[in-house]
Amino acid sequence: MTDNELSIARYRGKAASYDASAERTMALRRRTIVLLQLVPGQTVLDVGAGTGLSYALLRDGVRETGRVLAFEQSPDMFALAHRRVQREGWRNVWHTNEPAETVRLPHTADAVLFNYTHDICRTPEAVANILRQVRPGARVAMAGMKFFPWWAGPLNVLAWLKNRPYNAKAADLWEPWSLVAAHCDAFVWESTQWGMGYIASGLYKGDVR
Ligand SMILES: C[S@@+](CC[C@H](N)C(=O)[O-])C[C@H]1O[C@@H](n2cnc3c(N)ncnc32)[C@H](O)[C@@H]1O
């Protein structure tokens, strides 16, 4: 089974309860979106958008004159995102049920959100395919789980256990942002959730061809 297949299988059983389980991290998700400093008229990309939990907040930033682009590989998660867009009648949200490694966007993005998208952030082909479709200088914001510092030792078994149900690459939690950070200027990150999470931002260098 590939990592993509494993992830799709894991989200099959999680989609229905996902929004309720994400409730406790909504404040962090909002903080990541604030870091994008969106302005009306921009095009923002929501990477691995899940059930579309961030769409309303992103739309608030880009307004009716801007656009939200999004992709999500799990058919179960995407079905809920699609239902959300239909229900709300949002005409400036374009989204597709495709993987990060091969998705083609209809427009270049001015800002990119990686909210809890660990497997994507740890897949070089996925990161390259996304950044190739982003405007140089675009703001990038990320949040997710990470390991505690090395000296916290056994606590990291807890971090791994918390991640395993969601991520195929749950053992790769030391610097989850590093593949994206390598393509950013002014990249900064800080710990959240007592060291088990992070929030980060930077400006895309425009160096992926
Ligand atoms: C923890 S959820 C986060 C969803 C959303 N970003 C949020 O903040 O609620 C991670 C999402 O990434 C998706 N995902 C994982 N690997 C992917 C890939 N290679 N391409 C596209 N989506 C992927 C999963 O299906 C899942 O919906």
Side-chain angles (χ1 to χ4, degrees):
M1 200 184 239
T2 64
D3 281 354
N4 295 67
E5 289 165 346
L6 181 58
S7 174
I8 288 170
R10 287 191 174 160
Y11 276 97
R12 187 156 300 136
K14 297 206 172 304
S17 57
Y18 183 81
D19 287 6
S21 71
E23 198 55 49
R24 65 187 183 285
T25 48
M26 274 319 281
L28 255 176
R29 283 159 208 268
R30 282 197 197 92
R31 270 182 69 194
T32 332
I33 292 169
V34 169
L35 289 174
L36 291 175
Q37 298 181 21
L38 296 173
V39 294
Q42 280 188 321
T43 297
V44 60
L45 171 61
D46 189 2
V47 168
T51 62
L53 259 187
S54 298
Y55 290 175
L57 296 166
L58 295 172
R59 268 176 42 89
D60 285 347
V62 300
R63 308 282 174 83
E64 287 296 333
T65 53
R67 262 186 300 242
V68 177
L69 308 179
F71 62 84
E72 166 54 51
Q73 78 172 356
S74 152
D76 303 271
M77 297 290 271
F78 182 75
L80 295 176
H82 193 60
R83 202 178 302 160
R84 189 190 299 273
V85 173
Q86 303 265 295
R87 188 179 61 230
E88 302 291 343
W90 290 330
R91 295 224 300 259
N92 62 345
V93 177
W94 175 94
H95 63 175
T96 181
N97 184 198
E98 287 179 82
E101 290 82 347
T102 53
V103 66
R104 283 282 162 266
L105 305 176
H107 303 280
T108 303
D110 300 312
V112 192
L113 177 69
F114 292 86
N115 246 350
Y116 291 85
T117 53
H118 180 72
D119 281 343
I120 298 174
C121 295
R122 298 316 298 162
T123 307
E125 315 84 271
V127 170
N129 184 46
I130 293 163
L131 293 180
R132 208 175 282 124
Q133 302 177 70
V134 172
R135 175 177 66 72
R139 277 189 192 279
V140 176
M142 316 173 70
M145 302 281 289
K146 69 171 187 64
F147 277 146
F148 292 102
W150 63 269
W151 45 261
L155 270 183
N156 282 323
V157 176
L158 177 70
W160 177 76
L161 282 172
K162 268 187 86 78
N163 265 273
R164 218 180 87 84
Y166 295 92
N167 296 311
K169 300 180 199 315
D172 186 10
L173 282 164
W174 286 112
E175 290 197 336
W177 54 82
S178 66
L179 296 179
V180 174
H183 298 288
C184 290
D185 290 319
F187 192 89
V188 287
W189 70 271
E190 63 176 271
S191 277
T192 61
Q193 294 149 299
W194 304 282
M196 201 169 61
Y198 73 93
I199 185 164
S201 65
L203 299 172
Y204 172 49
K205 287 179 188 170
D207 58 345
V208 182
R209 305 273 171 246

